[in-house]
Coordinates of all heavy atoms in Angstrom, one line a residue:
M1 N 0.9 -1.2 0.0 CA 0.0 0.0 0.0 C 0.8 1.2 0.0 O 2.1 1.2 0.2 CB -0.9 0.0 1.2 CG -0.3 0.2 2.6 SD -1.6 0.3 3.8 CE -2.1 2.0 3.7
Y2 N 0.3 2.4 -0.3 CA 0.9 3.6 -0.4 C 0.6 4.6 0.8 O -0.6 4.5 1.2 CB 0.7 4.3 -1.8 CG 1.2 3.5 -2.9 CD1 0.4 2.5 -3.5 CD2 2.5 3.7 -3.2 CE1 0.8 1.8 -4.5 CE2 3.0 3.0 -4.3 CZ 2.1 1.9 -4.9 OH 2.6 1.2 -6.0
I3 N 1.6 5.3 1.2 CA 1.3 6.3 2.3 C 1.3 7.6 1.6 O 2.4 8.2 1.0 CB 2.4 6.2 3.3 CG1 2.4 4.8 4.0 CG2 2.3 7.3 4.4 CD1 3.6 4.5 4.8
V4 N 0.3 8.4 1.8 CA 0.1 9.7 1.2 C 0.2 10.8 2.4 O -0.4 10.6 3.4 CB -1.3 9.9 0.6 CG1 -1.4 11.2 0.0 CG2 -1.6 8.7 -0.3
T5 N 1.0 11.8 2.1 CA 1.1 12.9 3.2 C 0.9 14.2 2.4 O 1.3 14.4 1.3 CB 2.4 12.9 3.9 OG1 3.5 13.2 3.0 CG2 2.7 11.5 4.6
V6 N 0.3 15.1 3.1 CA 0.1 16.5 2.6 C 0.8 17.4 3.7 O 0.4 17.3 4.8 CB -1.3 16.9 2.4 CG1 -1.5 18.3 2.0 CG2 -2.0 16.0 1.4
D7 N 1.7 18.2 3.3 CA 2.3 19.2 4.1 C 1.4 20.4 4.1 O 1.4 21.2 3.1 CB 3.7 19.6 3.5 CG 4.5 20.5 4.5 OD1 3.8 21.2 5.3 OD2 5.7 20.5 4.4
T8 N 0.7 20.6 5.3 CA -0.3 21.7 5.2 C 0.4 23.1 5.3 O -0.2 24.1 5.0 CB -1.2 21.5 6.5 OG1 -0.4 21.4 7.7 CG2 -2.1 20.3 6.4
E9 N 1.7 23.1 5.6 CA 2.4 24.5 5.6 C 2.5 24.8 4.1 O 2.5 26.0 3.7 CB 3.8 24.3 6.1 CG 3.7 24.0 7.6 CD 3.3 25.2 8.5 OE1 3.9 26.2 8.3 OE2 2.4 25.1 9.3
K10 N 2.7 23.8 3.2 CA 3.0 24.1 1.8 C 1.7 24.2 1.0 O 1.6 24.8 0.0 CB 3.9 23.0 1.2 CG 5.2 23.1 1.7 CD 6.1 22.0 1.0 CE 7.6 21.9 1.5 NZ 8.3 20.8 0.9
C11 N 0.6 23.6 1.4 CA -0.6 23.5 0.7 C -1.2 24.8 0.5 O -1.4 25.5 1.5 CB -1.6 22.6 1.3 SG -3.1 22.3 0.4
V12 N -1.5 25.2 -0.7 CA -2.2 26.4 -1.0 C -3.7 26.3 -1.4 O -4.3 27.3 -1.8 CB -1.4 27.4 -2.1 CG1 -0.1 27.8 -1.5 CG2 -1.3 26.5 -3.4
G13 N -4.1 25.1 -1.4 CA -5.6 24.8 -1.6 C -6.0 25.0 -3.0 O -7.2 25.3 -3.2
D14 N -5.2 24.9 -4.0 CA -5.7 25.0 -5.4 C -6.4 23.9 -5.9 O -7.2 24.0 -6.9 CB -4.4 25.2 -6.3 CG -3.4 24.1 -6.3 OD1 -3.7 23.0 -6.0 OD2 -2.2 24.5 -6.6
G15 N -6.4 22.7 -5.2 CA -7.4 21.7 -5.6 C -6.9 20.9 -6.7 O -7.6 19.9 -7.3
N16 N -5.7 21.0 -7.2 CA -5.3 20.2 -8.4 C -5.2 18.7 -8.0 O -5.5 17.9 -8.8 CB -3.8 20.7 -8.8 CG -3.8 22.0 -9.4 OD1 -4.8 22.5 -9.8 ND2 -2.6 22.6 -9.5
C17 N -4.8 18.4 -6.8 CA -4.8 17.0 -6.5 C -6.2 16.4 -6.4 O -6.5 15.2 -6.8 CB -4.1 16.8 -5.1 SG -4.8 17.7 -3.7
V18 N -7.1 17.2 -5.9 CA -8.5 16.8 -5.8 C -9.0 16.4 -7.2 O -9.7 15.4 -7.5 CB -9.4 17.8 -5.2 CG1 -10.9 17.4 -5.2 CG2 -8.9 18.2 -3.8
D19 N -8.7 17.2 -8.2 CA -9.1 17.1 -9.6 C -8.5 15.8 -10.3 O -9.1 15.2 -11.1 CB -8.9 18.3 -10.5 CG -9.7 19.5 -10.0 OD1 -10.7 19.2 -9.3 OD2 -9.3 20.6 -10.2
V20 N -7.2 15.6 -10.0 CA -6.5 14.7 -10.7 C -6.6 13.2 -10.1 O -6.4 12.2 -10.9 CB -5.0 15.1 -10.9 CG1 -4.3 14.8 -9.6 CG2 -4.3 14.5 -12.1
C21 N -6.8 13.1 -8.9 CA -6.7 11.8 -8.2 C -7.8 10.9 -8.7 O -9.0 11.3 -8.6 CB -6.8 11.9 -6.7 SG -6.7 10.3 -6.0
P22 N -7.5 9.8 -9.3 CA -8.6 8.8 -9.9 C -9.5 8.2 -8.8 O -10.5 7.6 -9.2 CB -7.8 7.9 -10.7 CG -6.4 7.8 -10.1 CD -6.2 9.2 -9.6
V23 N -8.9 8.2 -7.5 CA -9.7 7.4 -6.6 C -10.1 8.3 -5.4 O -10.4 7.9 -4.3 CB -8.9 6.2 -6.1 CG1 -8.8 5.1 -7.2 CG2 -7.5 6.7 -5.6
Q24 N -10.1 9.6 -5.6 CA -10.7 10.6 -4.6 C -10.0 10.5 -3.2 O -10.8 10.4 -2.2 CB -12.3 10.5 -4.5 CG -13.0 11.0 -5.7 CD -13.0 9.9 -6.9 OE1 -13.3 8.7 -6.7 NE2 -12.7 10.5 -8.1
V25 N -8.7 10.5 -3.3 CA -8.1 10.4 -2.0 C -8.2 11.8 -1.2 O -8.3 11.8 0.0 CB -6.6 10.1 -2.2 CG1 -5.7 10.4 -1.0 CG2 -6.4 8.6 -2.5
F26 N -8.4 12.9 -2.0 CA -8.3 14.3 -1.4 C -9.6 15.0 -1.5 O -10.4 14.7 -2.3 CB -7.3 15.1 -2.2 CG -5.9 14.5 -2.3 CD1 -5.5 13.9 -3.5 CD2 -5.0 14.7 -1.3 CE1 -4.2 13.4 -3.6 CE2 -3.8 14.1 -1.4 CZ -3.4 13.5 -2.6
E27 N -9.8 15.8 -0.4 CA -10.9 16.8 -0.4 C -10.4 18.1 0.1 O -9.5 18.1 0.9 CB -11.9 16.2 0.5 CG -13.4 16.5 0.2 CD -14.3 15.8 1.2 OE1 -14.5 16.1 2.4 OE2 -14.9 14.8 0.7
L28 N -10.9 19.1 -0.5 CA -10.6 20.4 0.1 C -11.4 20.8 1.3 O -12.6 20.8 1.3 CB -10.7 21.6 -0.9 CG -9.7 21.8 -1.9 CD1 -9.9 22.9 -2.8 CD2 -8.3 21.8 -1.4
Q29 N -10.7 21.0 2.5 CA -11.5 21.5 3.6 C -10.7 22.8 4.2 O -9.5 22.7 4.4 CB -11.5 20.5 4.7 CG -12.4 19.2 4.3 CD -12.4 18.0 5.3 OE1 -11.9 18.3 6.4 NE2 -12.9 16.9 4.8
D30 N -11.5 23.9 4.4 CA -10.8 25.1 4.7 C -9.6 25.4 3.9 O -8.6 25.9 4.5 CB -10.5 25.0 6.2 CG -11.7 24.9 7.1 OD1 -12.8 25.5 6.7 OD2 -11.6 24.3 8.1
N31 N -9.6 25.3 2.5 CA -8.6 25.6 1.7 C -7.3 24.8 1.9 O -6.3 25.3 1.5 CB -8.3 27.1 1.7 CG -9.2 27.9 0.8 OD1 -9.6 27.4 -0.3 ND2 -9.5 29.1 1.1
K32 N -7.5 23.6 2.3 CA -6.4 22.7 2.5 C -6.8 21.4 2.0 O -7.9 20.9 2.2 CB -5.9 22.6 3.9 CG -5.4 23.8 4.5 CD -4.0 24.2 4.1 CE -3.5 25.5 4.8 NZ -2.2 26.0 4.2
A33 N -5.9 20.7 1.3 CA -6.1 19.3 0.9 C -6.1 18.4 2.1 O -5.0 18.4 2.8 CB -5.2 18.9 -0.3
V34 N -7.1 17.6 2.4 CA -7.1 16.7 3.4 C -7.3 15.3 2.9 O -7.9 15.2 1.7 CB -8.1 17.0 4.5 CG1 -7.9 18.3 5.2 CG2 -9.5 17.0 4.0
L35 N -6.8 14.3 3.5 CA -6.9 12.9 3.0 C -8.2 12.4 3.5 O -8.4 12.2 4.7 CB -5.7 12.1 3.6 CG -4.4 12.7 3.2 CD1 -3.3 11.9 4.1 CD2 -4.1 12.6 1.8
V36 N -9.1 12.0 2.6 CA -10.4 11.4 3.0 C -10.4 9.9 2.5 O -11.4 9.2 3.0 CB -11.6 12.2 2.5 CG1 -11.7 13.5 3.1 CG2 -11.5 12.3 0.9
N37 N -9.5 9.5 1.8 CA -9.6 8.1 1.2 C -8.2 7.6 1.0 O -8.0 7.0 -0.1 CB -10.4 8.2 -0.1 CG -11.2 7.0 -0.4 OD1 -11.3 6.2 0.4 ND2 -11.6 6.9 -1.7
P38 N -7.3 7.8 1.9 CA -5.8 7.5 1.6 C -5.7 6.0 1.4 O -4.7 5.7 0.6 CB -5.1 7.9 2.9 CG -6.2 7.9 4.0 CD -7.5 8.3 3.3
D39 N -6.4 5.1 1.9 CA -6.2 3.6 1.7 C -6.4 3.2 0.2 O -6.0 2.2 -0.2 CB -7.1 2.8 2.5 CG -6.8 3.0 4.0 OD1 -5.7 3.5 4.3 OD2 -7.7 2.6 4.8
E40 N -7.1 4.1 -0.6 CA -7.3 3.7 -2.0 C -6.1 4.1 -2.9 O -6.2 3.9 -4.1 CB -8.6 4.5 -2.5 CG -9.8 3.9 -1.7 CD -10.1 2.5 -2.0 OE1 -10.1 2.1 -3.2 OE2 -10.4 1.8 -1.0
C41 N -5.1 4.9 -2.4 CA -4.1 5.3 -3.3 C -3.5 4.2 -4.1 O -3.2 3.2 -3.7 CB -3.0 6.0 -2.4 SG -1.6 6.6 -3.4
L42 N -3.4 4.6 -5.4 CA -2.7 3.6 -6.4 C -1.2 3.8 -6.7 O -0.6 3.1 -7.5 CB -3.5 3.8 -7.8 CG -5.0 3.7 -7.7 CD1 -5.7 4.2 -8.9 CD2 -5.5 2.3 -7.4
G43 N -0.7 4.8 -6.0 CA 0.7 5.2 -6.3 C 1.0 5.7 -7.6 O 2.1 5.6 -8.1
C44 N 0.1 6.4 -8.3 CA 0.3 6.9 -9.7 C 1.1 8.1 -9.8 O 1.6 8.4 -10.8 CB -1.1 7.1 -10.3 SG -2.0 8.4 -9.6
D45 N 1.2 8.8 -8.7 CA 2.0 10.0 -8.6 C 1.5 11.2 -9.4 O 2.2 12.3 -9.5 CB 3.5 9.8 -9.0 CG 4.4 9.3 -8.0 OD1 3.9 9.3 -6.8 OD2 5.7 8.9 -8.3
S46 N 0.3 11.2 -9.8 CA -0.3 12.2 -10.6 C -0.5 13.4 -9.6 O -0.3 14.5 -10.1 CB -1.7 11.8 -11.0 OG -1.7 10.8 -12.0
C47 N -0.9 13.2 -8.4 CA -1.1 14.4 -7.5 C 0.3 15.1 -7.2 O 0.3 16.3 -7.1 CB -1.6 13.9 -6.2 SG -0.7 12.6 -5.4
V48 N 1.4 14.3 -7.2 CA 2.7 14.9 -6.9 C 3.1 15.8 -8.0 O 3.6 16.9 -7.9 CB 3.7 13.7 -6.7 CG1 5.1 14.4 -6.6 CG2 3.4 12.9 -5.5
E49 N 2.7 15.3 -9.3 CA 3.1 16.0 -10.5 C 2.3 17.3 -10.7 O 3.0 18.3 -11.2 CB 2.9 15.1 -11.7 CG 4.0 14.0 -11.8 CD 3.5 13.0 -12.8 OE1 2.6 13.1 -13.7 OE2 4.1 11.8 -12.8
V50 N 1.1 17.3 -10.2 CA 0.3 18.6 -10.4 C 0.4 19.6 -9.2 O 0.0 20.7 -9.4 CB -1.2 18.3 -10.7 CG1 -1.3 17.5 -12.0 CG2 -1.8 17.6 -9.5
C51 N 0.9 19.1 -8.2 CA 1.0 20.0 -6.9 C 2.1 21.0 -7.2 O 3.3 20.6 -7.2 CB 1.3 19.2 -5.7 SG 1.3 20.3 -4.2
E52 N 1.8 22.3 -7.3 CA 2.7 23.3 -7.6 C 3.6 23.7 -6.5 O 4.7 24.2 -6.6 CB 2.0 24.6 -8.1 CG 1.3 24.3 -9.4 CD 0.4 25.4 -9.8 OE1 0.4 26.5 -9.2 OE2 -0.4 25.2 -10.7
T53 N 3.3 23.3 -5.3 CA 4.1 23.7 -4.1 C 4.8 22.5 -3.5 O 5.5 22.6 -2.5 CB 3.3 24.3 -3.1 OG1 2.3 23.4 -2.6 CG2 2.6 25.6 -3.5
G54 N 4.8 21.3 -4.1 CA 5.4 20.1 -3.6 C 4.9 19.7 -2.3 O 5.8 19.2 -1.5
A55 N 3.7 19.9 -2.0 CA 3.1 19.5 -0.7 C 2.8 18.1 -0.5 O 2.7 17.7 0.7 CB 1.9 20.4 -0.5
I56 N 2.7 17.3 -1.6 CA 2.3 16.0 -1.5 C 3.5 15.0 -1.7 O 4.4 15.2 -2.5 CB 1.3 15.6 -2.4 CG1 0.1 16.6 -2.3 CG2 0.8 14.1 -2.3 CD1 -0.9 16.5 -3.5
T57 N 3.6 14.0 -0.7 CA 4.5 12.9 -1.0 C 3.8 11.6 -0.8 O 2.8 11.4 -0.2 CB 5.7 12.9 0.1 OG1 5.1 12.8 1.4 CG2 6.5 14.2 0.1
I58 N 4.3 10.7 -1.7 CA 3.8 9.3 -1.8 C 4.8 8.3 -1.6 O 5.9 8.5 -2.3 CB 3.1 9.0 -3.2 CG1 2.2 10.1 -3.7 CG2 2.5 7.5 -3.2 CD1 0.9 10.1 -2.9
S59 N 4.6 7.5 -0.6 CA 5.7 6.5 -0.4 C 5.1 5.1 -0.2 O 3.9 5.0 0.0 CB 6.6 6.8 0.8 OG 5.8 7.0 2.0
E60 N 5.9 4.2 -0.4 CA 5.4 2.8 -0.3 C 5.5 2.4 1.1 O 6.6 2.5 1.7 CB 6.2 1.8 -1.2 CG 5.6 1.8 -2.7 CD 6.1 0.6 -3.4 OE1 5.7 -0.6 -3.3 OE2 7.1 0.9 -4.2
G61 N 4.5 1.8 1.6 CA 4.4 1.4 3.1 C 4.2 -0.1 3.1 O 4.1 -0.8 2.3
Ligands
SF4_1 S1 -0.6 8.9 -6.1 FE1 -2.5 8.8 -7.6 S2 -3.9 7.6 -6.6 FE2 -2.4 8.2 -5.0 S3 -3.3 10.1 -4.1 FE3 -2.0 10.7 -5.7 S4 -3.3 10.9 -7.5 FE4 -4.4 9.6 -6.0

């Protein structure tokens, strides 16, 4: 499985990860991306690629 983390200090709430994630791992709450479905992560790295501030990391757990 994959471990998804969002650095809330870096997150600017643009929602790119919400739009790109095929399995709805993220949701915007109070202008921050929060993990609502992290167990479904496929490790595709799409969110990492679209995050302009480098707030997201995906690692294998
Ligand atoms: S790596 Fe892919 S499946 Fe996992 S959270 Fe990012 S966009 Fe979603």
Side-chain angles (χ1 to χ4, degrees):
M1 71 175 279
Y2 295 92
I3 299 166
V4 186
T5 64
V6 177
D7 184 338
T8 52
E9 297 285 310
K10 291 182 181 174
C11 180
V12 293
D14 57 29
N16 289 346
C17 57
V18 177
D19 294 339
V20 78
C21 180
V23 289
Q24 287 79 50
V25 163
F26 308 96
E27 206 171 78
L28 280 188
Q29 292 178 14
D30 295 328
N31 274 327
K32 297 286 180 185
V34 297
L35 305 174
V36 292
N37 211 12
D39 292 347
E40 295 298 314
C41 177
L42 308 167
C44 68
D45 272 355
S46 298
C47 54
V48 175
E49 287 165 19
V50 297
C51 181
E52 293 169 13
T53 62
I56 304 170
T57 58
I58 307 291
S59 56
E60 276 193 80

